[in-house]
Amino acid sequence: RAFVFVVMMDNAVPLSTSASISSPLTTEGKTAVLICPAQFCVPADYSELITSLQKRGIGKCVVADLPRTEWIKVASHLPSEDFLNADLKVEKTLDWYFQGMEKALANIYASEGESVNVSIIGHSIGGWVARAFLGGLSNSSSSVSRLTRERVSSFVTLGTPHSSPEGALVDQTRGLLKQVEQSPSCSAQSLEDRGIEVTCVGSTCIDGSLLSFDVEELVAASSYIPLLGNLKRGKGDGIVPIDLAFMAGPARRIEIDQCEDGSKVRHAQVFPTPWNLIDGYAPSIPLPEDFTWYGSESSIDLW
């Protein structure tokens, strides 16, 4: 049987998946979902997740309209002083991502009405970018942004790094994540005070070890070590170590040990690279079919 750990603050309680785990996507009235994609992922990469959510009674599901070519805009900040000093500003650097979110949200309100409840699911980097948006760091004053502050009822992150430790070997976000992490308006408490239920989901399925013959463990170690800043053997989803996958309380914390079918829960279902810049919406390179991730049919009920 599969087991997950639901953690409230610092207390972990093991629960069988047959136990009732209240879903943050269950609210009164009509609910729509906005999915904020991982780096270089495109809407087509989340088609199976959308199908699974709709099978479970969720209504309209939309992915932020971001072709992989949009990520090139980050490169414009590479030679800047703020980049070198790891002091990039969220509003300026990620404005294109926020615009993609607002476009998708406008789509939701146009078809479902302005009274619809909205749940936001952020995958990987999409989780902390959505967190910044909900915390007001986009500084948007549009009607869509104002309405979203009223209509978002839950926020779920899947394999999202929520902190950038001082001891990290390199700040891969060049100050962006630290700005989000240190902004009071982006804290779980602030979001909960506004009526947004926060859930962070992480996996402990993949060990990270440089002393291994397992390719997945070697790849995991190459990701965990720079993020954590130490050589200790860590656990995570193969990309994000479990130590960084959660916001502080009162956020609901879910640690996944394995899927319902006993398989490992990995960071992603695709290999998200800028391999195809000619067609920015072409699906990413898929991983083997037996590679399960947070959004797979066999793992989605765990959160």
Side-chain angles (χ1 to χ4, degrees):
R1 302 173 67 186
F3 287 85
V4 298
F5 287 87
V6 178
V7 186
M8 300 301 293
M9 301 296 286
D10 297 322
N11 300 316
V13 181
L15 293 176
S16 162
T17 52
S18 61
S20 175
I21 301 178
S22 61
S23 169
L25 299 180
T26 301
T27 57
E28 294 183 3
K30 188 187 299 183
T31 298
V33 170
L34 168 65
I35 299 173
C36 296
Q39 186 175 27
F40 293 120
C41 283
V42 296
D45 297 334
Y46 296 93
S47 58
E48 291 186 9
L49 171 59
I50 290 174
T51 297
S52 294
L53 289 173
Q54 292 178 331
K55 282 173 56 178
R56 288 160 174 79
I58 302 301
K60 189 177 184 68
C61 297
V62 179
V63 184
D65 188 21
L66 297 169
R68 63 176 55 84
T69 48
E70 288 291 278
W71 290 93
I72 298 175
K73 295 179 179 179
V74 177
S76 65
H77 301 278
L78 297 184
S80 69
E81 183 177 350
D82 284 347
F83 177 85
L84 296 175
N85 293 333
D87 194 28
L88 288 178
K89 303 300 187 291
V90 169
E91 177 187 3
K92 182 178 180 181
T93 308
L94 298 174
D95 57 344
W96 53 274
Y97 199 114
F98 296 139
Q99 290 165 12
M101 291 180 64
E102 289 202 17
K103 181 178 179 181
L105 287 163
N107 181 338
I108 288 174
Y109 299 135
S111 64
E112 304 301 298
E114 295 185 357
S115 62
V116 65
N117 293 319
V118 176
S119 291
I120 294 180
I121 299 176
H123 176 213
S124 192
I125 186 176
W128 63 258
V129 177
R131 178 182 171 187
F133 180 81
L134 291 174
L137 297 191
S138 69
N139 284 326
S140 173
S141 59
S142 70
S143 59
V144 170
S145 178
R146 294 195 301 270
L147 180 59
T148 299
R149 294 190 192 103
E150 300 174 2
R151 301 314 312 163
V152 173
S153 57
S154 64
F155 173 43
V156 182
T157 65
L158 307 174
T160 293
H162 279 293
S163 63
S164 181
E166 292 296 332
L169 299 183
V170 61
D171 183 349
Q172 297 182 0
T173 70
R174 308 312 296 158
L176 294 172
L177 180 52
K178 283 186 178 179
Q179 184 183 348
V180 177
E181 183 184 7
Q182 294 172 3
S183 297
S185 62
C186 298
S187 69
Q189 186 63 66
S190 176
L191 298 180
E192 292 270 352
D193 287 346
R194 290 167 44 200
I196 302 173
E197 185 176 355
V198 181
T199 301
C200 301
V201 186
S203 169
T204 59
C205 295
I206 310 294
D207 287 327
S209 174
L210 293 175
L211 303 176
S212 173
F213 294 104
D214 185 298
V215 174
E216 274 198 285
E217 292 189 0
L218 290 170
V219 171
S222 70
S223 181
Y224 301 166
I225 290 172
L227 290 172
L228 294 173
N230 62 63
L231 296 174
K232 295 180 180 178
R233 188 183 185 97
K235 289 181 175 292
D237 61 16
I239 298 296
V240 174
I242 195 68
D243 294 351
L244 306 183
F246 304 112
M247 296 171 66
R252 182 168 173 255
R253 298 156 55 118
I254 298 181
E255 296 180 18
I256 299 179
D257 178 57
Q258 62 182 10
C259 281
E260 293 178 339
D261 61 4
S263 58
K264 296 178 179 179
V265 177
R266 298 169 175 85
H267 184 74
Q269 75 286 25
V270 295
F271 188 59
T273 64
W275 68 277
N276 187 350
L277 296 180
I278 297 176
D279 183 358
Y281 285 103
S284 300
I285 300 172
L287 293 174
E289 290 186 6
D290 61 347
F291 271 45
T292 52
W293 74 293
Y294 297 105
S296 294
E297 180 65 28
S298 59
S299 59
I300 191 172
D301 288 331
L302 299 178
W303 51 270

